[in-house]
Amino acid sequence: MKRQHAHPKHSPYTELAINTIRLLGVEAIAQANSGHPGIVLGAAPIMYSLFHDHINLNPKDPFYFNRDRFVLSAGHGSALLYATLLVSGFESITMEDLKKFRQLGSKTPGHPENIVLPGVEVSTGPLGQGIAMGVGLAIAEATLGAKFNKYTKFVNHYTYVLFGDGCLEEGVTQEAIALAGTLKLDKLILLYDSNKIQLDGKVDASTNYDVKKLFKSYHWNYLKVKNGNNANSISKAIAKAKSMHNNQPTIIEVNTIIGYGSRFQGTNSVHGSPLSADQIQELRTNLRYKVPPFMIHENVKEQMALVYKRGNVHQRKFNLALQQLESKDLNLYNEYIKLSNNQFAFNNAWFDTYQSKPDTSTRLMFSDLLQYVLIQNDTFMVGSADLTSSTFITHKKSIPFTVKTRRGQNIFFGVREFAMAAINNGITAHGGCRCITSTFLVFSDYNKAALRLAAISNLPAINVYSHDSITVGEDGPTHEPIEQIPSLRLIPNHFLFRPANKTECIVALEHAVKSTNSPTTIITSRGNIAQYDSPYELAMKGGYVFKHVDNHHINIIATGSEIPLAMKISESLQAEGINARVLSFNSIELFEAQSLDYKATIIDGKPTVSIEFAVTTPWYKYADLAIGIDQFGKSGKPNDVIQHFELTSDKIMSKIVTWYQSFKK
């Protein structure tokens, strides 16, 4: 028998509550003279039905672990979310906060930000990413449930995502929903605000697919509500979606009217333009709404108190389940406590016995070291964009994550780089899980938007990129990264590591595992590179003396694959009477976090050369001469490509000698 999910009967004040959400939203937008009233007026019944009847949240404790997750993928509708949280009794937001909508320093920014307002699960705005993050949240719920639901339904919640036509048109959405159907994430429910209007006009001017057939082809349940103003019908559809445990996620298409009640309803004019005072008064008349601006009627407060009552009961049940877990399995309980606080295991001693080969690729070495972390952290997910055989980022002793094996740690993302990174963000945002994803460095451009959103959101997502330079050779310029490393370093609140040896790989891993509020990118080599030891304590500083020479005349900065090259050049320069100290900058971001005194011992005023097979311009912050590549690569054998660009050790040494002689003059 299918489980039934009843929903409360709506009161005579249902319409008043919905219109309160509408007017609070459009009044905040009007006061800011900026925002998107169309979705607020059209989708308010969806939000009311979800929050009043279904979602399990505690407005007084919005972070309890087993809460339902809600994502507003259509992040431009932030005023709708803020108004809903306010009428639902969330203590994290006040009427004054709503009045400061889109103002500097407010808790109600133009698009929802998880780091600003409790009740916002993930930051959204770039369309489509919210749906992909919803998929990640659902994956996390599934694997954590499989781990902890040994005695009771301990981790057992739904993920709801509200989105519109713009989100559905984004390619990242198509990638994400295809994977969600494949993985059979049946506790993921999408709420589609289907109004057939977007900013430039009607949706059918650019899009003509059949939504039902599209989702059915991806193995989703499809439900439809023809009247988006009928809260009862919406609530029944959500209840049905929760009862359809057939190993398929569900989409509910709700036919709404954009800008409902305003003079511009049903047109693109109301999408992103605030209503004037006269137009809001006209809206009030049309909706028969008489409550003064920025006020909530007592009957609405009483009605929406159901959100807290239901959420409080749900949380108490969770706490009882937690007590039961503690009494029956103390080890599992203690593990939950750590994971719920995002405390993951890491111990440098794990790697003591690991011996790298004299010449090896850092992709292979990093993969070997990663296994220790994955074995000790069984809620770490890992996967690649169909490149596991090349990046080596996999759990060698685990199984795939499927509907039958929710404890599998390997996710087959398919060739879906953008969705992969966005799903990673969702898994990370859930709590209790982490995800490590990988592809070729050159394809980081496909998922950079998700990396940026992770940095904005303080999400410690982990992304690994192999095939780090033009030394991939035969694949040619389309696969040879040139500008990717510098462009990734430009992302604020983001740490990039380019390790050269075992020590630097461990440093990168440790930072990634222990990070709590910033994403980590790790770049590995395809080709084998000579291995040199370096002290762990120095490598932890991000930039340090890799090779010391007495009375050095110049510094040579290098990273990752270019460290052995710099070492060889340093030795050759001695024959020319030039003492060259080698500096490893395994992480510029870590280096910049060091004290001014320390940094002055590294960038010490001596003539400095940088060597990195990437765009040279950013290196002039540290170097007087930057050696790299400022054009696209070539197709050919790796050594031939290196020689073509005059990046062999003898050519570089010759450039340095000539430069240093002129520098002395």
Side-chain angles (χ1 to χ4, degrees):
M1 178 181 293
K2 291 183 178 179
R3 213 169 24 155
Q4 296 299 313
H5 296 263
H7 58 89
K9 292 182 179 179
H10 292 154
S11 77
Y13 299 106
T14 292
E15 186 176 358
L16 178 61
I18 293 171
N19 287 337
T20 299
I21 294 172
R22 284 170 166 151
L23 266 297
L24 286 175
V26 298
E27 286 165 352
I29 291 168
Q31 181 153 307
N33 195 29
S34 177
H36 299 75
I39 186 175
V40 177
L41 295 171
I46 301 176
M47 293 292 281
Y48 169 83
S49 300
L50 176 62
F51 276 73
H52 180 267
D53 297 347
H54 295 283
I55 200 165
N56 289 310
L57 293 168
N58 188 343
K60 297 181 185 297
D61 185 7
F63 295 120
Y64 81 91
F65 198 75
N66 197 38
R67 67 192 181 276
D68 287 340
R69 268 59 169 184
F70 172 75
V71 177
L72 180 65
S73 188
H76 58 276
S78 57
L80 172 64
L81 176 57
Y82 302 148
T84 302
L85 294 177
L86 184 60
V87 301
S88 298
F90 273 72
E91 296 180 348
S92 56
I93 184 172
T94 66
M95 192 65 76
E96 288 303 309
D97 293 324
L98 192 63
K99 289 179 181 179
K100 295 177 181 177
F101 177 60
R102 289 190 167 224
Q103 303 309 300
L104 183 64
S106 77
K107 294 169 69 176
T108 51
H111 292 81
E113 296 181 36
N114 65 306
I115 61 174
V116 173
L117 181 63
V120 175
E121 294 288 353
V122 293
S123 299
T124 56
L127 295 180
Q129 289 198 53
I131 292 176
M133 286 189 283
V135 173
L137 289 166
I139 289 173
E141 187 275 339
T143 192
L144 289 170
K147 177 179 177 66
F148 287 109
N149 294 350
K150 186 176 181 180
Y151 307 102
T152 184
K153 294 290 186 181
F154 184 68
V155 180
N156 182 36
H157 67 77
Y158 288 92
T159 299
Y160 301 96
V161 182
L162 177 63
F163 72 99
D165 295 291
C167 284
L168 192 54
E169 290 173 342
E170 288 283 1
V172 66
T173 294
Q174 305 301 315
E175 296 177 17
I177 62 177
L179 186 62
T182 301
L183 297 179
K184 304 184 185 301
L185 301 172
D186 63 349
K187 301 191 77 175
L188 173 64
I189 299 174
L190 300 189
L191 300 162
Y192 175 22
D193 173 30
S194 177
N195 57 43
K196 298 178 173 55
I197 295 292
Q198 53 195 128
L199 187 58
D200 283 350
K202 293 184 178 180
V203 170
D204 62 13
S206 61
T207 304
N208 66 352
Y209 46 64
D210 185 308
V211 173
K212 179 179 180 180
K213 291 181 179 178
L214 174 69
F215 276 86
K216 284 285 189 180
S217 72
Y218 286 138
H219 299 284
W220 283 62
N221 299 315
Y222 172 88
L223 303 174
K224 186 167 186 176
V225 177
K226 294 182 179 180
N227 182 358
N229 282 316
N230 189 326
N232 192 54
S233 295
I234 297 170
S235 188
K236 286 181 178 178
I238 296 172
K240 184 175 182 180
K242 291 159 70 177
S243 70
M244 297 175 69
H245 291 281
N246 59 353
N247 290 332
Q248 292 187 170
T250 300
I251 177 175
I252 304 172
E253 181 176 7
V254 184
N255 288 149
T256 61
I257 300 174
I258 190 172
Y260 177 78
S262 73
R263 71 172 63 177
F264 304 112
Q265 73 172 34
T267 72
N268 62 320
S269 299
V270 73
H271 180 279
S273 299
L275 299 179
S276 68
D278 290 343
Q279 291 162 0
I280 290 178
Q281 186 56 49
E282 183 180 58
L283 172 68
R284 286 172 160 271
T285 300
N286 293 341
L287 296 178
R288 301 186 300 279
Y289 187 76
K290 299 179 181 179
V291 181
F294 294 111
M295 288 190 66
I296 302 174
H297 196 282
E298 288 301 318
N299 293 120
V300 173
K301 292 180 181 179
E302 182 179 349
Q303 187 177 5
M304 295 304 291
L306 190 62
V307 179
Y308 168 71
K309 291 177 182 177
R310 184 178 59 248
N312 190 42
V313 170
H314 189 262
Q315 185 174 8
R316 288 207 306 268
K317 290 180 179 178
F318 170 71
N319 290 337
L320 288 173
L322 183 59
Q323 292 174 13
Q324 185 177 2
L325 180 65
E326 183 180 17
S327 65
K328 292 190 174 184
D329 194 333
L330 187 58
N331 289 334
L332 192 60
Y333 169 82
N334 288 333
E335 195 170 356
Y336 160 75
I337 294 299
K338 289 181 179 179
L339 291 179
S340 64
N341 290 304
N342 288 317
Q343 296 175 353
F344 301 98
F346 191 90
N347 190 331
N348 285 322
W350 296 342
F351 314 106
D352 287 347
T353 59
Y354 178 78
Q355 297 292 327
S356 63
K357 297 178 180 179
D359 290 277
T360 187
S361 66
T362 51
R363 62 171 172 161
L364 177 59
M365 180 165 50
F366 185 84
S367 174
D368 290 343
L369 296 169
L370 177 62
Q371 302 311 306
Y372 297 88
V373 173
L374 296 176
I375 290 170
Q376 297 293 330
N377 293 277
D378 65 1
T379 63
F380 265 54
M381 315 294 284
V382 63
S384 78
D386 197 44
L387 284 172
T388 301
S389 60
S390 294
T391 65
F392 301 158
I393 299 302
T394 185
H395 191 328
K396 297 176 183 178
K397 294 185 179 181
S398 186
I399 54 179
F401 173 84
T402 70
V403 68
K404 294 181 180 179
T405 55
R406 292 302 198 206
R407 295 295 294 120
Q409 290 175 252
N410 290 312
I411 300 177
F412 293 137
F413 286 100
V415 188
R416 301 184 178 107
E417 291 92 351
F418 190 0
M420 176 180 69
I423 290 169
N424 186 340
N425 290 348
I427 293 172
T428 304
H430 184 281
C433 285
R434 284 286 174 84
C435 187
I436 304 171
T437 52
S438 69
T439 185
F440 289 167
L441 175 58
V442 75
F443 299 142
S444 63
D445 292 332
Y446 278 127
N447 55 29
K448 187 180 176 186
L451 299 185
R452 184 176 188 271
L453 198 54
I456 290 172
S457 307
N458 289 358
L459 294 176
I462 306 168
N463 295 273
V464 179
Y465 301 105
S466 71
H467 293 55
D468 61 342
S469 77
I470 58 171
T471 55
V472 301
E474 292 92 342
D475 279 331
T478 61
H479 283 53
E480 295 172 18
I482 302 298
E483 75 281 15
Q484 280 72 25
I485 295 176
S487 68
L488 290 171
R489 286 186 178 130
L490 292 175
I491 301 174
N493 188 37
H494 165 255
F495 287 78
L496 183 144
F497 291 81
R498 194 174 180 223
N501 58 17
K502 172 187 172 181
T503 300
E504 292 184 356
C505 281
I506 294 172
V507 166
L509 264 174
E510 180 172 6
H511 184 274
V513 172
K514 292 183 177 180
S515 177
T516 58
N517 58 11
S518 58
T520 301
T521 289
I522 301 166
I523 296 174
T524 63
S525 70
R526 175 199 184 190
N528 293 341
I529 61 175
Q531 291 297 295
Y532 298 87
D533 293 333
S534 59
Y536 173 84
E537 294 76 14
L538 292 182
M540 282 292 291
K541 296 183 180 296
Y544 63 103
V545 178
F546 194 87
K547 176 188 177 183
H548 174 79
V549 295
D550 292 331
N551 302 317
H552 67 284
H553 301 111
I554 67 171
N555 297 305
I556 300 177
I557 299 174
T559 72
S561 302
E562 282 75 79
I563 284 289
L565 178 64
M567 294 290 282
K568 184 176 181 179
I569 291 170
S570 173
E571 293 173 5
S572 299
L573 285 171
Q574 283 186 311
E576 301 292 330
I578 302 173
N579 296 332
R581 187 175 69 159
V582 176
L583 310 176
S584 175
F585 270 42
N586 54 314
S587 173
I588 289 177
E589 295 78 19
L590 267 187
F591 176 71
E592 286 296 340
Q594 305 305 313
S595 68
L596 291 174
D597 287 343
Y598 174 77
K599 288 190 285 187
T601 67
I602 304 302
I603 304 300
D604 59 357
K606 295 290 181 69
T608 299
V609 182
S610 67
I611 303 175
E612 185 174 64
F613 290 176
V615 172
T616 59
T617 304
W619 279 110
Y620 285 104
K621 178 177 181 179
Y622 306 106
D624 304 292
L625 172 66
I627 294 174
I629 179 167
D630 293 307
Q631 56 184 294
F632 293 119
K634 295 288 185 180
S635 180
K637 295 185 183 303
N639 288 338
D640 292 343
V641 174
I642 293 296
Q643 290 180 11
H644 172 80
F645 288 109
E646 297 186 347
L647 293 173
T648 58
S649 61
D650 57 335
K651 291 289 186 180
I652 293 175
M653 190 193 75
S654 178
K655 291 178 185 177
I656 292 175
V657 170
T658 301
W659 162 79
Y660 182 64
Q661 296 300 331
S662 63
F663 192 91
K664 288 198 300 182
K665 297 178 182 178

